[in-house]
């Protein structure tokens, strides 16, 4: 039994080190968001863009541009306050595949502005792609 738990621990460490679960969640979110006609080809193209970016040093592929991020924020900020709740913020990041379900966030008690939301989406996307 110990050998099995050791293998499981090694597997979990590998997945965490290489941020595999975040990548898979992000790719799944992109599929649901864009709903391409040919999902396999779409995923292959994303991974190919990532490979080319890593080799050539060009910008990493982002699938949520500022207009997409703004649209998502506007849907969450239905009352047009200019901010969303911390719970909405965390759920949006989970939906986008940019955080894990058990990740701990520090709630400062203030709403999350569009700028903070946009910056965090871009930063976390960059971190996921940079891990590969």
């Amino acid at each position: 039994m110990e050998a099995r738990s050791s293998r499981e621990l090694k597997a979990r460490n590998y997945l965490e080190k290489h941020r595999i679960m975040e990548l898979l969640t992000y790719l799944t979110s992109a599929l649901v968001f864009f709903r391409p006609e040919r999902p396999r080809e779409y995923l292959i193209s994303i991974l190919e863009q990532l490979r080319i970016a890593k080799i050539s040093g060009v910008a990493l592929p982002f699938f949520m541009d500022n207009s997409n991020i703004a649209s998502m924020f506007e849907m969450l900020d239905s009352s047009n306050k200019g901010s969303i709740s911390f719970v909405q913020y965390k759920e949006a990041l989970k939906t986008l595949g940019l955080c894990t379900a058990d990740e701990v966030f520090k709630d400062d008690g203030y709403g999350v502005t569009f700028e903070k939301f946009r910056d965090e989406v871009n930063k976390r996307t960059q971190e996921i792609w940079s891990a590969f």
Side-chain angles (χ1 to χ4, degrees):
M1 188 64 146
E2 191 170 319
R4 181 178 178 164
S5 65
S6 174
R7 284 195 314 263
E8 289 173 1
L9 181 60
K10 286 179 183 178
R12 186 177 310 118
N13 289 340
Y14 177 82
L15 293 173
E16 287 174 5
K17 176 183 176 188
H18 296 285
R19 300 190 70 170
I20 300 298
M21 298 313 295
E22 289 95 332
L23 174 65
L24 293 175
T25 303
Y26 188 78
L27 291 172
T28 302
S29 296
L31 280 174
V32 172
F33 185 80
F34 292 108
R35 299 178 195 260
E37 288 294 317
R38 301 171 70 185
R40 287 181 184 89
E41 288 81 359
Y42 176 76
L43 291 173
I44 290 168
S45 74
I46 291 174
L47 295 172
E48 183 64 18
Q49 289 174 42
L50 179 60
R51 187 183 72 77
I52 290 169
K54 289 295 236 179
I55 291 170
S56 66
V58 299
L60 294 167
F62 286 93
F63 304 104
M64 292 287 291
D65 63 19
N66 281 335
S67 66
N68 299 128
I69 296 169
S71 294
M72 181 175 225
F73 186 85
E74 288 169 8
M75 286 188 290
L76 295 168
D77 183 22
S78 58
S79 61
N80 240 0
K81 295 186 306 186
S83 64
I84 58 175
S85 74
F86 192 76
V87 171
Q88 289 173 304
Y89 168 69
K90 183 175 179 181
E91 287 302 314
L93 292 178
K94 280 198 296 192
T95 300
L96 292 172
L98 297 175
C99 73
T100 59
D102 60 347
E103 185 172 346
V104 177
F105 286 82
K106 183 179 177 188
D107 184 357
D108 60 8
Y110 297 101
V112 177
T113 64
F114 169 70
E115 290 76 18
K116 179 177 179 177
F117 181 71
R118 180 198 60 217
D119 293 348
E120 194 66 19
V121 167
N122 288 331
K123 180 184 101 177
R124 286 172 174 266
T125 302
Q126 178 72 36
E127 288 171 356
I128 288 172
W129 289 137
S130 296
F132 301 99

